[in-house]
């Protein structure tokens, strides 16, 4: 890895109603905003939308594809927008900095998730140990 290097993109989706139902069951997150069209329409929202943690799970998959789990030192994200139904999620990362921390060489990655329309839904960073 070198500073400025883009990491391989991970693409998931499109997000379907089935995806939301399966994630709701697996995560025990049954918030009606994600699974009940009648509920969201009554609230003035066009349709259900994806759980934020679903996109975060996809981003975790991307991070794990970029580095073995035992080299991930920390990572964090913040939610910046909702992921609408039928969107495709694109997880991206870039090496922002390489430095030494705690006696090991590490890389700080700028990471995030975007919809196919270009809307950024997650913004974050990760620190991973580099192999020698």
């Amino acid at each position: 890895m070198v500073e400025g290097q883009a990491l391989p993109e991970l693409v998931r989706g499109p997000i379907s109603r089935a995806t939301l139902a399966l994630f709701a069951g697996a995560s025990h997150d049954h918030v009606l905003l994600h699974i009940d069209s009648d509920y969201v329409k009554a609230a003035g929202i066009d349709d259900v939308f994806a759980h934020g943690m679903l996109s975060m799970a996809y981003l975790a998959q991307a991070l794990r594809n970029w580095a073995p789990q035992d080299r991930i030192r920390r990572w964090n994200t913040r939610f910046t927008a909702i992921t609408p139904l039928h969107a495709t999620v694109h997880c991206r990362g870039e090496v922002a900095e390489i430095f030494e921390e705690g006696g090991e060489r590490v890389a700080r990655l700028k990471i995030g998730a975007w919809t196919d329309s270009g809307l950024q839904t997650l913004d974050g960073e990760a620190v991973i140990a580099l192999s020698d």
Side-chain angles (χ1 to χ4, degrees), residues 41-61:
K41 287 177 183 171
I45 302 169
D46 290 336
D47 209 342
V48 296
F49 52 89
H51 304 74
M53 292 303 290
L54 176 59
S55 292
M56 195 164 171
Y58 293 154
L59 189 56
Q61 287 179 349

Side-chain angles (χ1 to χ4, degrees), residues 6 16 19 25 73 85:
S16 67
T19 304
R73 297 298 176 251
L85 187 64

Side-chain angles (χ1 to χ4, degrees), residues 5-100:
Q5 176 184 350
L7 301 169
E9 181 176 74
L10 177 79
V11 179
R12 293 287 184 260
I15 304 296
S16 67
R17 292 178 198 285
T19 304
L20 299 181
L22 291 168
F23 188 79
S27 66
H28 300 280
D29 181 347
H30 299 97
V31 172
L32 296 179
L33 293 169
H34 304 301
I35 56 177
D36 188 331
S37 295
D38 295 332
Y39 177 83
V40 297
K41 287 177 183 171
I45 302 169
D46 290 336
D47 209 342
V48 296
F49 52 89
H51 304 74
M53 292 303 290
L54 176 59
S55 292
M56 195 164 171
Y58 293 154
L59 189 56
Q61 287 179 349
L63 183 58
R64 176 53 189 85
N65 288 347
W66 300 328
Q69 183 174 341
D70 64 346
R71 289 184 20 217
I72 300 170
R73 297 298 176 251
R74 63 185 173 276
W75 72 292
N76 63 69
T77 62
R78 67 182 180 90
F79 300 104
T80 57
I82 64 169
T83 301
L85 187 64
H86 307 300
T88 298
V89 178
H90 298 258
C91 299
R92 300 182 186 126
E94 179 179 306
V95 180
E97 177 184 17
I98 295 176
F99 59 100
E100 189 161 313

